[in-house]
Amino acid sequence: MSSALNTSSQDSSINNPTIYIVMRSILLISLLVLSAAFANAKNLDFFYCKLNRSTLVTCKTNSSNIRKTPSVKAPYLMWGCHDETDDCSFMWSNKADRFYSPRPYQITEGQVVLAANDVKTADFYRICVGSNSDYHFEAYLAKRATKPINAIPITRQELRQEYFGYWIFPESSPLKDVIVALDSDELYGVSNLMLGTIQNGLLIFAHSVPGYFLYDESADGLTCNKDNDILVFTFGPKQCRPLSETSNFHVLDLGKLTQNETEELLLKLEANQMPNASLVRAKYRTPNTAPAIYNIFYGDGGNGDFTAVFQMNLNF
């Protein structure tokens, strides 16, 4: 009986002109709201990099030499510093400079590197070695001394905990795979903001511009200015993560930016331009150390044997 009453009530509601008009009005308002939302949505072409014809490897033994050419007889890589100074340099064993007290620079146990199959030889991987994004060069690693490896996946949770160097969008955001990172070197006065993506537990950055984030208690929103060709993104209390999450440090929360602020940030970081860099980070552990995130590849951006450029439309 109860079921019959419910059915009768539903039928009478549908046939009631007043309720029908109200329902039409609600539907019309909903459509208008959706239309406004779509009209205000931001669309941005985004260029990013993915791994291309490359794999992650580590050495089979405690360490392995890095060669200048694909031959076990080729000069091996060395690294050294002038005593009690920051004057350091890479060099090849056949041109080692004793001024730097050089020693072999090797791939060590547990260390992960990005390696590409060289087209000229089947016995060596081609790798890229360097100390920063401005100084890197190609070298070779004997395949017989290496083995494929899967890096420990980098998680969104740990990136959020690393609030000094990584900024990510909320899990529910269309931009959830987009990441901003700080690459700085206080010794040389370098501060770059990098833009990239989280892919299969790796961080792959394709854009790097001189810049940093700055908290200003009086700021009402995210703004961007230039200081000696360095982008300074200033944000205020409304754009901060809860202080309880960050040990009372004022940290920018990308999820609290408006659409216009998000768009300006991405454009200033050159998201819609061809990549100007290529940096890959992976997480791994070496003997007697805790797992950590390391740089495993520096490149110049663009298509190649290590990474390839892709384009997608960001709608947010």
Side-chain angles (χ1 to χ4, degrees), residues 18 36 87 97 118 125 159 219-220 239 248 254 281 297 304 306:
T18 302
D87 181 11
D97 189 339
D118 192 80
Y125 283 121
L159 292 177
D220 188 49
Q239 293 77 44
N248 293 322
L254 298 186
R281 288 181 177 174
F297 173 79
F306 294 96

Side-chain angles (χ1 to χ4, degrees), residues 81-315:
C81 299
H82 183 47
D83 293 343
E84 300 180 1
T85 73
D86 297 315
D87 181 11
C88 304
S89 179
F90 285 108
M91 63 199 76
W92 296 106
S93 59
N94 62 332
K95 293 184 178 181
D97 189 339
R98 293 183 180 181
F99 176 80
Y100 289 98
S101 301
R103 59 189 182 278
Y105 184 91
Q106 302 171 312
I107 301 299
T108 58
E109 182 182 357
Q111 180 182 356
V112 175
V113 295
L114 187 64
N117 281 306
D118 192 80
V119 295
K120 299 176 182 178
T121 175
D123 298 327
F124 282 80
Y125 283 121
R126 187 147 40 89
I127 64 174
C128 200
V129 180
S131 56
N132 55 57
S133 57
D134 295 322
Y135 179 48
H136 49 267
F137 53 92
E138 292 184 351
Y140 291 86
L141 194 61
K143 286 186 178 180
R144 68 183 185 185
T146 68
K147 60 182 179 181
I149 191 171
N150 292 319
I152 303 170
I154 299 171
T155 66
R156 292 177 54 84
Q157 180 180 1
E158 68 181 306
L159 292 177
R160 189 164 175 82
Q161 292 171 350
E162 293 284 346
Y163 49 80
F164 280 120
Y166 296 103
W167 294 265
I168 56 177
F169 290 92
E171 182 73 40
S172 58
S173 170
L175 307 178
K176 65 184 179 68
D177 292 328
V178 176
I179 180 170
V180 178
L182 178 67
D183 184 22
S184 64
D185 189 326
E186 294 183 5
L187 179 63
Y188 295 102
V190 176
S191 179
N192 291 316
L193 286 174
M194 303 184 301
L195 182 66
T197 53
I198 307 171
Q199 298 178 36
N200 300 319
L202 299 175
L203 305 181
I204 305 178
F205 298 98
H207 305 275
S208 179
V209 299
Y212 58 90
F213 292 119
L214 177 67
Y215 174 74
D216 183 348
E217 187 175 355
S218 63
D220 188 49
L222 184 74
T223 58
C224 181
N225 295 287
K226 269 195 173 184
D227 181 14
N228 294 326
D229 293 327
I230 297 176
L231 295 177
V232 182
F233 292 94
T234 304
F235 64 98
K238 293 180 181 179
Q239 293 77 44
C240 280
R241 286 173 55 181
L243 295 183
S244 59
E245 295 182 350
T246 61
S247 301
N248 293 322
F249 290 101
H250 295 96
V251 179
L252 176 65
D253 188 340
L254 298 186
K256 293 182 178 179
L257 301 183
T258 65
Q259 285 184 322
N260 288 337
E261 290 170 341
T262 300
E263 181 182 38
E264 180 180 25
L265 173 64
L266 295 175
L267 288 175
K268 293 294 186 182
L269 296 183
E270 302 180 353
N272 63 336
Q273 299 183 33
M274 288 294 291
N276 66 348
S278 184
L279 172 64
V280 181
R281 288 181 177 174
K283 184 179 181 181
Y284 60 85
R285 63 165 62 88
T286 54
N288 303 318
T289 65
I293 298 174
Y294 300 93
N295 296 331
I296 66 168
F297 173 79
Y298 287 109
D300 296 320
N303 292 305
D305 290 334
F306 294 96
T307 60
V309 178
F310 288 80
Q311 179 183 358
M312 67 179 295
N313 182 263
L314 294 178
N315 186 285

